[in-house]
Amino acid sequence: MRTRRTFAVALCAIALTATAACGKDGTPGDAAASGSTAPKLPTYTVKTDAKVDSAIFAEAKKRGQLIIGAKSDQPFLGFEDLASGDRSGFDIEIAKMVAADLGFTPQQIKWQTLVSSQREPAISKGQIDFYVGTYSINDERKKTVSFAGPYFIAGQDFLVKADNTSITGPESVNGKNICTATGSTSIKNIQQYSPKITQFDTYSACVEKLLSGEVDAVTTDDAILKGYASKYAPKLKVVGKPFTKENYGVGLNKDDAALRGAISDALKAHQDNGDWKKAYDATLGLSGSAAPTPPALERY
Amino acid sequence: MGFLFEDGNFALFRDGFLQTIELSALSALLALLLGTLLAAFRVSPIPALRGFGTAWVTLFRNTPLTVLFFAVTFGLPPLGVHFSHLTFAVLALGSYTASFVCEVLRSGINTVPLGQAEAARSLGMTFGQTLTSIVLPQAARTVLAPLSSVFIALPRNSAIAGAFSVSELYSAQQSFSEDGYSIFAIFFWVACAYLVISAVVALLFRFLEDRLAVAR
């Protein structure tokens, strides 16, 4: 199933770049780099004296590399440019700022792409040191892993064409054709509002259908939608009326309270010094929605 | 294993099961009709039709099914062709399977002794009459066993439709996985469902073989 999904993603990428109808070629990184007024990504000072009383940290120091789990198919959030191997996006920036405070340069990060269903096993088996990739904090997951954060609060929202004024929130979608991913929690949330749902196994397929006008909206977490809105700016927009609440956290080993504390400290420090906002502006902020206030950390 | 009988899961599973059957049955029908027509094309005396048959088989048999689904679902609407997702799935799956049915039938046609066709021709039958009343009936009866393999593979291939907005068994499995039920329990029931479908198809062909097999 994994291969099938990867295959579908690859196909989408081919289709999206190949068809003239769906806008510009190239990677989101290009869009960020073009235009001199575009917000610049922040750089982070790497701490040289980082010390955390944690086995995972000690192990990472010894190997001189931090293994961070991430997603690779979400533009402006966690995206891997398959040609160059470069990672970009808000989650990637969060991971880099945390790594910097732990004493690792971006070159010392080894990225590991993991799909949603593989996150808990990879963390508890120690295959990765921690995971940053639209990972919602919830009680079910807290039984197997622990979370530092939240570093971002997302909510389910709608992605529509820029000239669409009829969809203003969940109450206005009844009878509209809504697209979302097969098996996602977003389906359950939207079913209460509209019976007409199209499902594909990737969001990029939904976005393709939205661009060609066959569906009226795509629904999932607004962070993911903002990424697509940025990629296809100014053709698409996010409605901006989130109707659920997802706290994104950094997922790490359940027993490692010291590392969790250190990651929380790092997140707090970068929220306070403005890096958080700079990172947002240069990634998700390109969709046109202004940076929200960084969420208060939940230390437990 | 008991998750199937908890809150509303059975309805989702049943709907997925029925959708898989509907999709498979419609695709099988399309594949059978189209496959027979293509087989006739491939042995016909007209070069254009032979070329068409060969091109179809080469194209559809060698394209991965996922790519076909993708081409149909995303390629046709921009050309102004709008169908339901089930219809798109039937088109993709039916055209794909038709190429296999065509080749199986063609191999069957090759087993019919040449004398049969020559005898038909000497009686004054046209090509169409020879094919439909003499050669194809014998050919079809010879290839029941390989044909059953094609139609057993079809329901399992239909799982790909789950990723293209057809809510069949595969998409039901995805929903259960997201709900956090044990992966083994989910796959146990999904596997059982496919097993039931395959077994029924196999039994049907066994029955047909018993009744129709050509004794030579």
Side-chain angles (χ1 to χ4, degrees), chain A residues 1 4-5 7 11-12 15 182-185 188 197-201 205 208-209 214, chain B residues 66-67 70 73-74 77 82 85 159-160 162-165 170-171 173-175 178-179:
Chain A
M1 210 194 74
R4 181 182 299 158
R5 180 166 297 174
F7 189 44
L11 271 175
C12 291
T182 313
S184 66
T185 39
K188 296 229 164 66
I197 297 165
T198 304
Q199 308 173 26
F200 288 100
D201 69 349
E208 174 75 357
K209 286 279 175 190
E214 283 159 86
Chain B
T66 318
V67 178
F70 206 89
T73 318
F74 289 89
H82 296 277
H85 284 105
I160 294 175
F164 292 88
S165 205
Y170 165 78
S171 76
Q173 171 265 318
Q174 292 242 300
S175 303
E178 183 68 28
D179 287 348

Side-chain angles (χ1 to χ4, degrees), chain B residues 59-204:
Chain B
L59 185 68
F60 283 88
R61 195 174 55 169
N62 297 319
T63 310
L65 193 47
T66 318
V67 178
L68 272 185
F69 267 96
F70 206 89
V72 167
T73 318
F74 289 89
L76 291 182
L79 302 175
V81 183
H82 296 277
F83 289 133
S84 72
H85 284 105
L86 180 68
T87 316
F88 280 139
V90 169
L91 282 179
L93 198 56
S95 327
Y96 175 79
T97 313
S99 64
F100 288 91
V101 171
C102 164
E103 287 304 273
V104 166
L105 275 179
R106 196 167 65 91
S107 78
I109 291 172
N110 290 338
T111 68
V112 179
L114 195 60
Q116 298 274 331
E118 283 170 347
R121 210 151 17 150
S122 69
L123 287 174
M125 285 186 168
T126 62
F127 172 77
Q129 284 170 330
T130 311
L131 192 70
T132 50
S133 26
I134 308 292
V135 178
L136 264 185
Q138 295 185 66
R141 289 162 69 177
T142 319
V143 294
L144 279 172
L147 210 52
S148 77
S149 298
V150 172
F151 286 112
I152 286 172
L154 190 146
R156 290 182 280 120
N157 287 338
S158 78
I160 294 175
F164 292 88
S165 205
V166 179
S167 37
E168 43 70 83
L169 274 171
Y170 165 78
S171 76
Q173 171 265 318
Q174 292 242 300
S175 303
F176 292 136
S177 296
E178 183 68 28
D179 287 348
Y181 292 107
S182 153
I183 209 98
F184 290 106
I186 301 168
F187 276 95
F188 174 78
W189 288 111
V190 172
C192 280
Y194 279 112
L195 189 69
V196 166
I197 298 174
S198 302
V200 169
V201 176
L203 281 175
L204 182 73

Side-chain angles (χ1 to χ4, degrees), chain A:
Chain A
M1 210 194 74
R2 167 119 201 266
T3 28
R4 181 182 299 158
R5 180 166 297 174
T6 325
F7 189 44
V9 170
L11 271 175
C12 291
I14 293 165
L16 289 179
T17 44
T19 36
C22 49
K24 56 180 179 257
D25 286 2
T27 63
D30 295 340
S34 67
S36 52
T37 53
K40 291 237 166 20
L41 285 171
T43 47
Y44 315 106
T45 328
V46 177
K47 282 193 182 166
T48 45
D49 56 344
K51 258 204 168 66
V52 185
D53 181 22
S54 136
I56 292 171
F57 179 78
E59 179 69 23
K61 266 282 164 212
K62 213 174 82 190
R63 83 169 92 85
Q65 231 182 11
L66 202 56
I67 305 174
I68 303 180
K71 289 202 170 148
S72 64
D73 58 345
Q74 295 177 334
F76 291 95
L77 211 48
F79 191 84
E80 182 181 16
D81 181 346
L82 290 174
S84 64
D86 289 342
R87 303 248 176 184
S88 61
F90 185 67
D91 280 337
I92 302 298
E93 291 307 312
I94 292 287
K96 280 184 190 165
M97 56 180 85
V98 169
D101 276 24
L102 294 176
F104 293 87
T105 65
Q107 288 75 35
Q108 285 177 303
I109 298 172
K110 187 181 173 218
W111 300 102
Q112 176 82 52
T113 303
L114 289 171
V115 297
S116 298
S117 57
Q118 293 175 345
R119 294 184 292 203
E120 284 91 15
I123 293 171
S124 46
K125 279 187 209 146
Q127 289 166 348
I128 54 172
D129 296 329
F130 56 85
Y131 187 92
V132 192
T134 59
Y135 202 9
S136 296
I137 303 175
N138 69 34
D139 291 340
E140 193 61 36
R141 287 171 181 165
K142 274 186 188 168
K143 286 178 194 161
T144 43
V145 298
S146 73
F147 289 98
Y151 62 88
F152 191 79
I153 297 180
Q156 189 168 345
D157 206 331
F158 298 96
L159 180 71
V160 294
K161 284 196 169 172
D163 56 4
N164 185 319
T165 49
S166 62
I167 294 177
T168 50
E171 288 76 22
S172 63
V173 300
N174 202 354
K176 297 275 198 304
N177 201 341
I178 309 294
C179 191
T180 188
T182 313
S184 66
T185 39
S186 307
I187 289 188
K188 296 229 164 66
N189 297 331
I190 195 63
Q191 265 166 348
Q192 305 162 18
Y193 298 102
S194 173
K196 236 172 128 182
I197 297 165
T198 304
Q199 308 173 26
F200 288 100
D201 69 349
T202 57
Y203 289 113
S204 36
C206 280
V207 173
E208 174 75 357
K209 286 279 175 190
L210 176 63
L211 287 165
S212 68
E214 283 159 86
V215 301
D216 300 304
V218 180
T219 186
T220 183
D221 293 355
D222 57 358
I224 299 170
L225 298 178
K226 279 179 188 176
Y228 284 112
S230 319
K231 188 173 174 184
Y232 295 104
K235 281 189 199 160
L236 303 178
K237 68 171 183 189
V238 177
V239 169
K241 284 262 185 60
F243 57 99
T244 63
K245 203 173 160 210
E246 306 289 340
N247 294 311
Y248 287 168
V250 177
L252 70 154
N253 194 290
K254 187 169 160 52
D255 305 321
D256 206 330
L259 186 61
R260 189 177 69 216
I263 294 176
S264 291
D265 290 342
L267 291 172
K268 180 78 184 135
H270 288 278
Q271 285 182 0
D272 292 345
N273 72 7
D275 283 347
W276 190 95
K277 189 176 176 305
K278 274 188 212 157
Y280 178 92
D281 288 341
T283 54
L284 296 177
L286 298 175
S287 68
S289 7
T293 352
L297 293 175
E298 179 192 319
R299 292 174 190 259
Y300 63 96

